[in-house]
Amino acid sequence: MTSLPALSKGKSAAGKPLHLVGFRVGNEEYCFEILKVQEIIRMAPITAVPNAPGHVEGIINLRGRIVPVIDFRRRFHITAECTVDEADKVIVITATRNATVGFIVDALSQVMKLPAEDLSPAPAGAAGYDGEAIRGVGNMGDRLVIVLDLDRMFSDDELSGLAGTTASRP
């Protein structure tokens, strides 16, 4: 398991700060709520699943649990070219609506605390494909981070399909 840097300092007068796990994909930084992240693991052998959607890389065995793994780049149609050190890639294991899902990301960045007043709504242009998965944009001083809402990232049908990739066999 990868160790994470300590929480950055930040207090919120307007509301509770968000505790986030940050990661990089391409040249952008994204975050999940820390309570939705179960663990972060190094890349592991992934078994392909026949007829899976294009963004599903396959499945892994995580201490006896079968977990579907999604390629974050393909799921969100990120085509920006950038050099990625394969040794930095990790799988972020998340929990959403009674499902466990892993995401392949380019690199882990940090655990951070974002004051509520520093979270802006998603821009109107993000309302297209998967725009509902963007909770907002966090202002972290000299950089912006995209805060994702795992519970809104998948439709019920999509989650059922992912669960089907982990169905146990008799």
Side-chain angles (χ1 to χ4, degrees):
M1 188 162 147
T2 305
S3 70
L4 300 172
L7 289 172
S8 60
K9 295 179 182 174
K11 295 186 180 182
S12 170
K16 288 185 175 181
L18 296 171
H19 296 263
L20 305 166
V21 174
F23 56 90
R24 296 195 71 76
V25 176
N27 297 318
E28 303 302 327
E29 189 170 6
Y30 299 87
C31 299
F32 289 138
E33 244 186 284
I34 199 165
L35 293 176
K36 298 288 186 177
V37 176
Q38 293 183 341
E39 64 185 292
I40 296 154
I41 62 172
R42 295 183 191 276
M43 285 298 294
I46 298 172
T47 302
V49 177
N51 299 319
H55 59 273
V56 176
E57 189 73 19
I59 54 176
I60 60 171
N61 183 338
L62 185 64
R63 292 182 300 284
R65 283 186 315 166
I66 304 302
V67 176
V69 177
I70 292 173
D71 184 309
F72 192 93
R73 278 179 181 278
R74 287 193 307 231
R75 173 65 169 88
F76 291 99
H77 310 285
I78 298 171
T79 57
E81 293 290 326
C82 74
T83 305
V84 177
D85 187 351
E86 292 296 317
D88 289 338
K89 282 190 172 186
V90 295
I91 301 174
V92 180
I93 306 296
T94 63
T96 180
R97 298 186 355 237
N98 299 320
T100 302
V101 179
F103 289 91
I104 299 171
V105 300
D106 293 345
L108 195 60
S109 60
Q110 66 181 347
V111 173
M112 62 192 88
K113 197 184 298 186
L114 178 68
E117 65 267 15
D118 290 342
L119 181 67
S120 301
Y129 182 77
D130 286 325
E132 65 277 358
I134 299 174
R135 181 172 177 181
V137 178
N139 184 354
M140 299 294 294
D142 62 341
R143 70 189 201 281
L144 298 175
V145 295
I146 299 169
V147 180
L148 300 169
D149 186 338
L150 267 168
D151 290 333
R152 294 172 54 190
M153 192 172 288
F154 300 103
S155 69
D156 290 336
D157 288 343
E158 197 171 11
L159 269 183
S160 294
L162 288 173
T165 63
T166 63
S168 56
R169 303 191 195 275

